[in-house]
Amino acid sequence: MFQKMLLLLITGVSVTTLGITGCTAQQQDSAAEVQPPVLTSQTETPTTTQPQERPGDVPYVPTPQPVVDAMLQVAKVGKNDVLYDLGSGDGRIVVTAAQKYGTRGVGIDISPERIQEANANAQKAGVTDLVEFRQQDLFKTDLSQATVITLYLLPEVNLRLRPELLKLKPGTRIVSHAFDMGDWKPQQTLQVDGKTIYYWVVPQEIPANLR
């Protein structure tokens, strides 16, 4: 009798233990099902913007597309160029150069909204392999890699920027929509749809009046 009771007790404990173990496994399976997937570096979207460090130097006014086309034509941009657009806005100059001429380009803008818009436009145009947009102060940007620089700023901003532009490699081409560079006389001036385009080439020797 004692042996029979002992056998029943052992069997009951074993069944209970198995039941608890099975329940725990099921709970773990359920938990695994509801766990959200962990993002890997391949699926995460990188943050490309940051709070704007200071107010912009110019209001945002896009360059009309016919003017963009003429600016790129007068500078004779090509696939071997590196174009920097200062105050790049929605990125249209850099994106157009990449689409039409296979030109590598860098857009510089201080506004996080403009950088996001430019990146979206580059993606839409399928040129993200050729262009990049940097949220930077244009006066703190290293321009030494540029072979072409495009601008649509203001006269006083152009004049502040002029000493840095004159330090660039001789032969670097500079194109400005609407505003000149004071005493630095352009090599060409064009009129397109009622808008003025100015074109310079950085000289081998800087004239005395520009030093």
Side-chain angles (χ1 to χ4, degrees), residues 85-111:
D85 185 26
L86 306 185
S88 51
D90 64 6
R92 65 182 61 192
I93 292 180
V94 174
V95 168
T96 301
Q99 275 184 315
K100 283 194 166 186
Y101 305 106
T103 307
R104 290 174 294 149
V106 180
I108 306 295
D109 207 291
I110 204 166
S111 163

mmCIF file with all atom_site columns, all heavy atoms in Angstrom, residues 85-111:
data_model
loop_
_atom_site.group_PDB
_atom_site.id
_atom_site.type_symbol
_atom_site.label_atom_id
_atom_site.label_alt_id
_atom_site.label_comp_id
_atom_site.label_asym_id
_atom_site.label_entity_id
_atom_site.label_seq_id
_atom_site.pdbx_PDB_ins_code
_atom_site.Cartn_x
_atom_site.Cartn_y
_atom_site.Cartn_z
_atom_site.occupancy
_atom_site.B_iso_or_equiv
_atom_site.pdbx_formal_charge
_atom_site.auth_seq_id
_atom_site.auth_comp_id
_atom_site.auth_asym_id
_atom_site.auth_atom_id
_atom_site.pdbx_PDB_model_num
ATOM 1   N N   . ASP A 1 85  ? 27.632 73.802 -54.509 1.00 0.00 ? 85  ASP A N   1
ATOM 2   C CA  . ASP A 1 85  ? 26.592 74.825 -54.577 1.00 0.00 ? 85  ASP A CA  1
ATOM 3   C C   . ASP A 1 85  ? 26.409 75.402 -53.176 1.00 0.00 ? 85  ASP A C   1
ATOM 4   O O   . ASP A 1 85  ? 26.022 74.677 -52.244 1.00 0.00 ? 85  ASP A O   1
ATOM 5   C CB  . ASP A 1 85  ? 25.283 74.211 -55.088 1.00 0.00 ? 85  ASP A CB  1
ATOM 6   C CG  . ASP A 1 85  ? 24.193 75.257 -55.290 1.00 0.00 ? 85  ASP A CG  1
ATOM 7   O OD1 . ASP A 1 85  ? 24.538 76.440 -55.520 1.00 0.00 ? 85  ASP A OD1 1
ATOM 8   O OD2 . ASP A 1 85  ? 23.010 74.891 -55.217 1.00 0.00 ? 85  ASP A OD2 1
ATOM 9   N N   . LEU A 1 86  ? 26.701 76.693 -53.031 1.00 0.00 ? 86  LEU A N   1
ATOM 10  C CA  . LEU A 1 86  ? 26.657 77.332 -51.712 1.00 0.00 ? 86  LEU A CA  1
ATOM 11  C C   . LEU A 1 86  ? 25.300 77.987 -51.504 1.00 0.00 ? 86  LEU A C   1
ATOM 12  O O   . LEU A 1 86  ? 24.932 78.901 -52.225 1.00 0.00 ? 86  LEU A O   1
ATOM 13  C CB  . LEU A 1 86  ? 27.785 78.360 -51.598 1.00 0.00 ? 86  LEU A CB  1
ATOM 14  C CG  . LEU A 1 86  ? 29.189 77.827 -51.896 1.00 0.00 ? 86  LEU A CG  1
ATOM 15  C CD1 . LEU A 1 86  ? 30.232 78.908 -51.634 1.00 0.00 ? 86  LEU A CD1 1
ATOM 16  C CD2 . LEU A 1 86  ? 29.496 76.571 -51.085 1.00 0.00 ? 86  LEU A CD2 1
ATOM 17  N N   . GLY A 1 87  ? 24.580 77.502 -50.501 1.00 0.00 ? 87  GLY A N   1
ATOM 18  C CA  . GLY A 1 87  ? 23.189 77.894 -50.327 1.00 0.00 ? 87  GLY A CA  1
ATOM 19  C C   . GLY A 1 87  ? 22.343 77.074 -51.278 1.00 0.00 ? 87  GLY A C   1
ATOM 20  O O   . GLY A 1 87  ? 21.623 77.602 -52.122 1.00 0.00 ? 87  GLY A O   1
ATOM 21  N N   . SER A 1 88  ? 22.434 75.739 -51.143 1.00 0.00 ? 88  SER A N   1
ATOM 22  C CA  . SER A 1 88  ? 21.915 74.834 -52.178 1.00 0.00 ? 88  SER A CA  1
ATOM 23  C C   . SER A 1 88  ? 20.396 74.661 -52.168 1.00 0.00 ? 88  SER A C   1
ATOM 24  O O   . SER A 1 88  ? 19.842 74.088 -53.107 1.00 0.00 ? 88  SER A O   1
ATOM 25  C CB  . SER A 1 88  ? 22.589 73.463 -52.063 1.00 0.00 ? 88  SER A CB  1
ATOM 26  O OG  . SER A 1 88  ? 22.508 72.972 -50.729 1.00 0.00 ? 88  SER A OG  1
ATOM 27  N N   . GLY A 1 89  ? 19.710 75.133 -51.138 1.00 0.00 ? 89  GLY A N   1
ATOM 28  C CA  . GLY A 1 89  ? 18.255 75.076 -51.121 1.00 0.00 ? 89  GLY A CA  1
ATOM 29  C C   . GLY A 1 89  ? 17.715 73.687 -51.345 1.00 0.00 ? 89  GLY A C   1
ATOM 30  O O   . GLY A 1 89  ? 18.102 72.737 -50.665 1.00 0.00 ? 89  GLY A O   1
ATOM 31  N N   . ASP A 1 90  ? 16.826 73.538 -52.337 1.00 0.00 ? 90  ASP A N   1
ATOM 32  C CA  . ASP A 1 90  ? 16.226 72.224 -52.603 1.00 0.00 ? 90  ASP A CA  1
ATOM 33  C C   . ASP A 1 90  ? 17.129 71.313 -53.422 1.00 0.00 ? 90  ASP A C   1
ATOM 34  O O   . ASP A 1 90  ? 16.729 70.220 -53.815 1.00 0.00 ? 90  ASP A O   1
ATOM 35  C CB  . ASP A 1 90  ? 14.860 72.374 -53.276 1.00 0.00 ? 90  ASP A CB  1
ATOM 36  C CG  . ASP A 1 90  ? 14.937 73.026 -54.658 1.00 0.00 ? 90  ASP A CG  1
ATOM 37  O OD1 . ASP A 1 90  ? 16.052 73.274 -55.157 1.00 0.00 ? 90  ASP A OD1 1
ATOM 38  O OD2 . ASP A 1 90  ? 13.863 73.295 -55.241 1.00 0.00 ? 90  ASP A OD2 1
ATOM 39  N N   . GLY A 1 91  ? 18.360 71.761 -53.695 1.00 0.00 ? 91  GLY A N   1
ATOM 40  C CA  . GLY A 1 91  ? 19.355 70.902 -54.349 1.00 0.00 ? 91  GLY A CA  1
ATOM 41  C C   . GLY A 1 91  ? 19.288 70.859 -55.858 1.00 0.00 ? 91  GLY A C   1
ATOM 42  O O   . GLY A 1 91  ? 20.004 70.086 -56.497 1.00 0.00 ? 91  GLY A O   1
ATOM 43  N N   . ARG A 1 92  ? 18.491 71.737 -56.467 1.00 0.00 ? 92  ARG A N   1
ATOM 44  C CA  . ARG A 1 92  ? 18.235 71.595 -57.906 1.00 0.00 ? 92  ARG A CA  1
ATOM 45  C C   . ARG A 1 92  ? 19.477 71.770 -58.776 1.00 0.00 ? 92  ARG A C   1
ATOM 46  O O   . ARG A 1 92  ? 19.586 71.127 -59.827 1.00 0.00 ? 92  ARG A O   1
ATOM 47  C CB  . ARG A 1 92  ? 17.119 72.537 -58.350 1.00 0.00 ? 92  ARG A CB  1
ATOM 48  C CG  . ARG A 1 92  ? 17.423 74.018 -58.225 1.00 0.00 ? 92  ARG A CG  1
ATOM 49  C CD  . ARG A 1 92  ? 16.249 74.869 -58.653 1.00 0.00 ? 92  ARG A CD  1
ATOM 50  N NE  . ARG A 1 92  ? 15.073 74.619 -57.816 1.00 0.00 ? 92  ARG A NE  1
ATOM 51  C CZ  . ARG A 1 92  ? 13.851 75.062 -58.110 1.00 0.00 ? 92  ARG A CZ  1
ATOM 52  N NH1 . ARG A 1 92  ? 13.643 75.768 -59.202 1.00 0.00 ? 92  ARG A NH1 1
ATOM 53  N NH2 . ARG A 1 92  ? 12.845 74.808 -57.297 1.00 0.00 ? 92  ARG A NH2 1
ATOM 54  N N   . ILE A 1 93  ? 20.420 72.641 -58.391 1.00 0.00 ? 93  ILE A N   1
ATOM 55  C CA  . ILE A 1 93  ? 21.618 72.830 -59.228 1.00 0.00 ? 93  ILE A CA  1
ATOM 56  C C   . ILE A 1 93  ? 22.475 71.571 -59.211 1.00 0.00 ? 93  ILE A C   1
ATOM 57  O O   . ILE A 1 93  ? 22.903 71.061 -60.257 1.00 0.00 ? 93  ILE A O   1
ATOM 58  C CB  . ILE A 1 93  ? 22.420 74.068 -58.778 1.00 0.00 ? 93  ILE A CB  1
ATOM 59  C CG1 . ILE A 1 93  ? 21.633 75.346 -59.076 1.00 0.00 ? 93  ILE A CG1 1
ATOM 60  C CG2 . ILE A 1 93  ? 23.786 74.111 -59.460 1.00 0.00 ? 93  ILE A CG2 1
ATOM 61  C CD1 . ILE A 1 93  ? 22.327 76.635 -58.672 1.00 0.00 ? 93  ILE A CD1 1
ATOM 62  N N   . VAL A 1 94  ? 22.709 71.048 -58.014 1.00 0.00 ? 94  VAL A N   1
ATOM 63  C CA  . VAL A 1 94  ? 23.539 69.851 -57.861 1.00 0.00 ? 94  VAL A CA  1
ATOM 64  C C   . VAL A 1 94  ? 22.870 68.640 -58.529 1.00 0.00 ? 94  VAL A C   1
ATOM 65  O O   . VAL A 1 94  ? 23.520 67.860 -59.234 1.00 0.00 ? 94  VAL A O   1
ATOM 66  C CB  . VAL A 1 94  ? 23.788 69.581 -56.359 1.00 0.00 ? 94  VAL A CB  1
ATOM 67  C CG1 . VAL A 1 94  ? 24.520 68.275 -56.144 1.00 0.00 ? 94  VAL A CG1 1
ATOM 68  C CG2 . VAL A 1 94  ? 24.584 70.718 -55.734 1.00 0.00 ? 94  VAL A CG2 1
ATOM 69  N N   . VAL A 1 95  ? 21.579 68.494 -58.326 1.00 0.00 ? 95  VAL A N   1
ATOM 70  C CA  . VAL A 1 95  ? 20.846 67.359 -58.907 1.00 0.00 ? 95  VAL A CA  1
ATOM 71  C C   . VAL A 1 95  ? 20.828 67.452 -60.430 1.00 0.00 ? 95  VAL A C   1
ATOM 72  O O   . VAL A 1 95  ? 21.049 66.455 -61.137 1.00 0.00 ? 95  VAL A O   1
ATOM 73  C CB  . VAL A 1 95  ? 19.411 67.302 -58.327 1.00 0.00 ? 95  VAL A CB  1
ATOM 74  C CG1 . VAL A 1 95  ? 18.538 66.333 -59.126 1.00 0.00 ? 95  VAL A CG1 1
ATOM 75  C CG2 . VAL A 1 95  ? 19.445 66.885 -56.857 1.00 0.00 ? 95  VAL A CG2 1
ATOM 76  N N   . THR A 1 96  ? 20.586 68.648 -60.978 1.00 0.00 ? 96  THR A N   1
ATOM 77  C CA  . THR A 1 96  ? 20.564 68.814 -62.436 1.00 0.00 ? 96  THR A CA  1
ATOM 78  C C   . THR A 1 96  ? 21.930 68.501 -63.051 1.00 0.00 ? 96  THR A C   1
ATOM 79  O O   . THR A 1 96  ? 22.013 67.832 -64.091 1.00 0.00 ? 96  THR A O   1
ATOM 80  C CB  . THR A 1 96  ? 20.149 70.258 -62.814 1.00 0.00 ? 96  THR A CB  1
ATOM 81  O OG1 . THR A 1 96  ? 18.847 70.528 -62.280 1.00 0.00 ? 96  THR A OG1 1
ATOM 82  C CG2 . THR A 1 96  ? 20.108 70.445 -64.318 1.00 0.00 ? 96  THR A CG2 1
ATOM 83  N N   . ALA A 1 97  ? 22.999 68.956 -62.403 1.00 0.00 ? 97  ALA A N   1
ATOM 84  C CA  . ALA A 1 97  ? 24.352 68.684 -62.913 1.00 0.00 ? 97  ALA A CA  1
ATOM 85  C C   . ALA A 1 97  ? 24.632 67.186 -62.937 1.00 0.00 ? 97  ALA A C   1
ATOM 86  O O   . ALA A 1 97  ? 25.226 66.661 -63.890 1.00 0.00 ? 97  ALA A O   1
ATOM 87  C CB  . ALA A 1 97  ? 25.391 69.409 -62.063 1.00 0.00 ? 97  ALA A CB  1
ATOM 88  N N   . ALA A 1 98  ? 24.195 66.489 -61.909 1.00 0.00 ? 98  ALA A N   1
ATOM 89  C CA  . ALA A 1 98  ? 24.405 65.036 -61.849 1.00 0.00 ? 98  ALA A CA  1
ATOM 90  C C   . ALA A 1 98  ? 23.583 64.328 -62.919 1.00 0.00 ? 98  ALA A C   1
ATOM 91  O O   . ALA A 1 98  ? 24.081 63.428 -63.606 1.00 0.00 ? 98  ALA A O   1
ATOM 92  C CB  . ALA A 1 98  ? 24.032 64.519 -60.460 1.00 0.00 ? 98  ALA A CB  1
ATOM 93  N N   . GLN A 1 99  ? 22.320 64.735 -63.083 1.00 0.00 ? 99  GLN A N   1
ATOM 94  C CA  . GLN A 1 99  ? 21.439 64.106 -64.065 1.00 0.00 ? 99  GLN A CA  1
ATOM 95  C C   . GLN A 1 99  ? 21.911 64.330 -65.503 1.00 0.00 ? 99  GLN A C   1
ATOM 96  O O   . GLN A 1 99  ? 21.958 63.408 -66.301 1.00 0.00 ? 99  GLN A O   1
ATOM 97  C CB  . GLN A 1 99  ? 20.022 64.673 -63.928 1.00 0.00 ? 99  GLN A CB  1
ATOM 98  C CG  . GLN A 1 99  ? 19.153 64.002 -62.888 1.00 0.00 ? 99  GLN A CG  1
ATOM 99  C CD  . GLN A 1 99  ? 17.741 64.571 -62.916 1.00 0.00 ? 99  GLN A CD  1
ATOM 100 O OE1 . GLN A 1 99  ? 17.557 65.773 -62.977 1.00 0.00 ? 99  GLN A OE1 1
ATOM 101 N NE2 . GLN A 1 99  ? 16.755 63.706 -62.866 1.00 0.00 ? 99  GLN A NE2 1
ATOM 102 N N   . LYS A 1 100 ? 22.248 65.578 -65.822 1.00 0.00 ? 100 LYS A N   1
ATOM 103 C CA  . LYS A 1 100 ? 22.558 65.937 -67.215 1.00 0.00 ? 100 LYS A CA  1
ATOM 104 C C   . LYS A 1 100 ? 23.990 65.621 -67.621 1.00 0.00 ? 100 LYS A C   1
ATOM 105 O O   . LYS A 1 100 ? 24.259 65.272 -68.773 1.00 0.00 ? 100 LYS A O   1
ATOM 106 C CB  . LYS A 1 100 ? 22.299 67.430 -67.431 1.00 0.00 ? 100 LYS A CB  1
ATOM 107 C CG  . LYS A 1 100 ? 20.838 67.796 -67.564 1.00 0.00 ? 100 LYS A CG  1
ATOM 108 C CD  . LYS A 1 100 ? 20.712 69.214 -68.117 1.00 0.00 ? 100 LYS A CD  1
ATOM 109 C CE  . LYS A 1 100 ? 19.305 69.491 -68.593 1.00 0.00 ? 100 LYS A CE  1
ATOM 110 N NZ  . LYS A 1 100 ? 19.199 70.801 -69.252 1.00 0.00 ? 100 LYS A NZ  1
ATOM 111 N N   . TYR A 1 101 ? 24.916 65.795 -66.676 1.00 0.00 ? 101 TYR A N   1
ATOM 112 C CA  . TYR A 1 101 ? 26.339 65.728 -67.054 1.00 0.00 ? 101 TYR A CA  1
ATOM 113 C C   . TYR A 1 101 ? 27.136 64.683 -66.271 1.00 0.00 ? 101 TYR A C   1
ATOM 114 O O   . TYR A 1 101 ? 28.336 64.536 -66.502 1.00 0.00 ? 101 TYR A O   1
ATOM 115 C CB  . TYR A 1 101 ? 26.988 67.107 -66.850 1.00 0.00 ? 101 TYR A CB  1
ATOM 116 C CG  . TYR A 1 101 ? 26.272 68.212 -67.586 1.00 0.00 ? 101 TYR A CG  1
ATOM 117 C CD1 . TYR A 1 101 ? 25.486 69.135 -66.895 1.00 0.00 ? 101 TYR A CD1 1
ATOM 118 C CD2 . TYR A 1 101 ? 26.364 68.344 -68.975 1.00 0.00 ? 101 TYR A CD2 1
ATOM 119 C CE1 . TYR A 1 101 ? 24.813 70.156 -67.569 1.00 0.00 ? 101 TYR A CE1 1
ATOM 120 C CE2 . TYR A 1 101 ? 25.702 69.354 -69.653 1.00 0.00 ? 101 TYR A CE2 1
ATOM 121 C CZ  . TYR A 1 101 ? 24.921 70.256 -68.946 1.00 0.00 ? 101 TYR A CZ  1
ATOM 122 O OH  . TYR A 1 101 ? 24.255 71.253 -69.622 1.00 0.00 ? 101 TYR A OH  1
ATOM 123 N N   . GLY A 1 102 ? 26.496 63.986 -65.345 1.00 0.00 ? 102 GLY A N   1
ATOM 124 C CA  . GLY A 1 102 ? 27.221 63.003 -64.530 1.00 0.00 ? 102 GLY A CA  1
ATOM 125 C C   . GLY A 1 102 ? 28.208 63.651 -63.577 1.00 0.00 ? 102 GLY A C   1
ATOM 126 O O   . GLY A 1 102 ? 29.202 63.031 -63.167 1.00 0.00 ? 102 GLY A O   1
ATOM 127 N N   . THR A 1 103 ? 27.939 64.909 -63.194 1.00 0.00 ? 103 THR A N   1
ATOM 128 C CA  . THR A 1 103 ? 28.857 65.673 -62.341 1.00 0.00 ? 103 THR A CA  1
ATOM 129 C C   . THR A 1 103 ? 28.661 65.314 -60.877 1.00 0.00 ? 103 THR A C   1
ATOM 130 O O   . THR A 1 103 ? 27.528 65.239 -60.394 1.00 0.00 ? 103 THR A O   1
ATOM 131 C CB  . THR A 1 103 ? 28.609 67.186 -62.524 1.00 0.00 ? 103 THR A CB  1
ATOM 132 O OG1 . THR A 1 103 ? 28.677 67.487 -63.912 1.00 0.00 ? 103 THR A OG1 1
ATOM 133 C CG2 . THR A 1 103 ? 29.617 68.011 -61.761 1.00 0.00 ? 103 THR A CG2 1
ATOM 134 N N   . ARG A 1 104 ? 29.762 65.111 -60.188 1.00 0.00 ? 104 ARG A N   1
ATOM 135 C CA  . ARG A 1 104 ? 29.688 64.930 -58.735 1.00 0.00 ? 104 ARG A CA  1
ATOM 136 C C   . ARG A 1 104 ? 29.429 66.291 -58.091 1.00 0.00 ? 104 ARG A C   1
ATOM 137 O O   . ARG A 1 104 ? 29.992 67.302 -58.519 1.00 0.00 ? 104 ARG A O   1
ATOM 138 C CB  . ARG A 1 104 ? 30.983 64.331 -58.199 1.00 0.00 ? 104 ARG A CB  1
ATOM 139 C CG  . ARG A 1 104 ? 31.190 62.872 -58.605 1.00 0.00 ? 104 ARG A CG  1
ATOM 140 C CD  . ARG A 1 104 ? 32.550 62.367 -58.179 1.00 0.00 ? 104 ARG A CD  1
ATOM 141 N NE  . ARG A 1 104 ? 33.608 63.064 -58.901 1.00 0.00 ? 104 ARG A NE  1
ATOM 142 C CZ  . ARG A 1 104 ? 34.819 63.312 -58.406 1.00 0.00 ? 104 ARG A CZ  1
ATOM 143 N NH1 . ARG A 1 104 ? 35.125 62.958 -57.174 1.00 0.00 ? 104 ARG A NH1 1
ATOM 144 N NH2 . ARG A 1 104 ? 35.727 63.918 -59.138 1.00 0.00 ? 104 ARG A NH2 1
ATOM 145 N N   . GLY A 1 105 ? 28.585 66.306 -57.072 1.00 0.00 ? 105 GLY A N   1
ATOM 146 C CA  . GLY A 1 105 ? 28.226 67.590 -56.488 1.00 0.00 ? 105 GLY A CA  1
ATOM 147 C C   . GLY A 1 105 ? 28.035 67.536 -54.985 1.00 0.00 ? 105 GLY A C   1
ATOM 148 O O   . GLY A 1 105 ? 27.664 66.498 -54.422 1.00 0.00 ? 105 GLY A O   1
ATOM 149 N N   . VAL A 1 106 ? 28.265 68.689 -54.360 1.00 0.00 ? 106 VAL A N   1
ATOM 150 C CA  . VAL A 1 106 ? 28.064 68.852 -52.922 1.00 0.00 ? 106 VAL A CA  1
ATOM 151 C C   . VAL A 1 106 ? 27.223 70.110 -52.721 1.00 0.00 ? 106 VAL A C   1
ATOM 152 O O   . VAL A 1 106 ? 27.603 71.186 -53.184 1.00 0.00 ? 106 VAL A O   1
ATOM 153 C CB  . VAL A 1 106 ? 29.410 68.997 -52.167 1.00 0.00 ? 106 VAL A CB  1
ATOM 154 C CG1 . VAL A 1 106 ? 29.163 69.178 -50.669 1.00 0.00 ? 106 VAL A CG1 1
ATOM 155 C CG2 . VAL A 1 106 ? 30.304 67.791 -52.424 1.00 0.00 ? 106 VAL A CG2 1
ATOM 156 N N   . GLY A 1 107 ? 26.100 69.966 -52.048 1.00 0.00 ? 107 GLY A N   1
ATOM 157 C CA  . GLY A 1 107 ? 25.269 71.120 -51.720 1.00 0.00 ? 107 GLY A CA  1
ATOM 158 C C   . GLY A 1 107 ? 25.486 71.516 -50.274 1.00 0.00 ? 107 GLY A C   1
ATOM 159 O O   . GLY A 1 107 ? 25.509 70.654 -49.394 1.00 0.00 ? 107 GLY A O   1
ATOM 160 N N   . ILE A 1 108 ? 25.658 72.805 -50.042 1.00 0.00 ? 108 ILE A N   1
ATOM 161 C CA  . ILE A 1 108 ? 25.876 73.327 -48.682 1.00 0.00 ? 108 ILE A CA  1
ATOM 162 C C   . ILE A 1 108 ? 24.708 74.224 -48.314 1.00 0.00 ? 108 ILE A C   1
ATOM 163 O O   . ILE A 1 108 ? 24.405 75.177 -49.034 1.00 0.00 ? 108 ILE A O   1
ATOM 164 C CB  . ILE A 1 108 ? 27.190 74.134 -48.595 1.00 0.00 ? 108 ILE A CB  1
ATOM 165 C CG1 . ILE A 1 108 ? 28.379 73.308 -49.104 1.00 0.00 ? 108 ILE A CG1 1
ATOM 166 C CG2 . ILE A 1 108 ? 27.424 74.645 -47.175 1.00 0.00 ? 108 ILE A CG2 1
ATOM 167 C CD1 . ILE A 1 108 ? 28.704 72.099 -48.293 1.00 0.00 ? 108 ILE A CD1 1
ATOM 168 N N   . ASP A 1 109 ? 24.054 73.934 -47.208 1.00 0.00 ? 109 ASP A N   1
ATOM 169 C CA  . ASP A 1 109 ? 22.969 74.791 -46.738 1.00 0.00 ? 109 ASP A CA  1
ATOM 170 C C   . ASP A 1 109 ? 22.913 74.720 -45.215 1.00 0.00 ? 109 ASP A C   1
ATOM 171 O O   . ASP A 1 109 ? 23.183 73.665 -44.633 1.00 0.00 ? 109 ASP A O   1
ATOM 172 C CB  . ASP A 1 109 ? 21.628 74.378 -47.339 1.00 0.00 ? 109 ASP A CB  1
ATOM 173 C CG  . ASP A 1 109 ? 20.651 75.550 -47.432 1.00 0.00 ? 109 ASP A CG  1
ATOM 174 O OD1 . ASP A 1 109 ? 20.194 76.028 -46.368 1.00 0.00 ? 109 ASP A OD1 1
ATOM 175 O OD2 . ASP A 1 109 ? 20.374 76.005 -48.551 1.00 0.00 ? 109 ASP A OD2 1
ATOM 176 N N   . ILE A 1 110 ? 22.563 75.832 -44.593 1.00 0.00 ? 110 ILE A N   1
ATOM 177 C CA  . ILE A 1 110 ? 22.533 75.895 -43.129 1.00 0.00 ? 110 ILE A CA  1
ATOM 178 C C   . ILE A 1 110 ? 21.200 75.409 -42.564 1.00 0.00 ? 110 ILE A C   1
ATOM 179 O O   . ILE A 1 110 ? 21.087 75.116 -41.386 1.00 0.00 ? 110 ILE A O   1
ATOM 180 C CB  . ILE A 1 110 ? 22.837 77.337 -42.653 1.00 0.00 ? 110 ILE A CB  1
ATOM 181 C CG1 . ILE A 1 110 ? 23.384 77.327 -41.228 1.00 0.00 ? 110 ILE A CG1 1
ATOM 182 C CG2 . ILE A 1 110 ? 21.615 78.239 -42.805 1.00 0.00 ? 110 ILE A CG2 1
ATOM 183 C CD1 . ILE A 1 110 ? 24.009 78.643 -40.795 1.00 0.00 ? 110 ILE A CD1 1
ATOM 184 N N   . SER A 1 111 ? 20.198 75.269 -43.446 1.00 0.00 ? 111 SER A N   1
ATOM 185 C CA  . SER A 1 111 ? 18.842 74.920 -42.995 1.00 0.00 ? 111 SER A CA  1
ATOM 186 C C   . SER A 1 111 ? 18.611 73.414 -43.028 1.00 0.00 ? 111 SER A C   1
ATOM 187 O O   . SER A 1 111 ? 18.768 72.782 -44.073 1.00 0.00 ? 111 SER A O   1
ATOM 188 C CB  . SER A 1 111 ? 17.802 75.602 -43.892 1.00 0.00 ? 111 SER A CB  1
ATOM 189 O OG  . SER A 1 111 ? 16.539 75.004 -43.748 1.00 0.00 ? 111 SER A OG  1
#
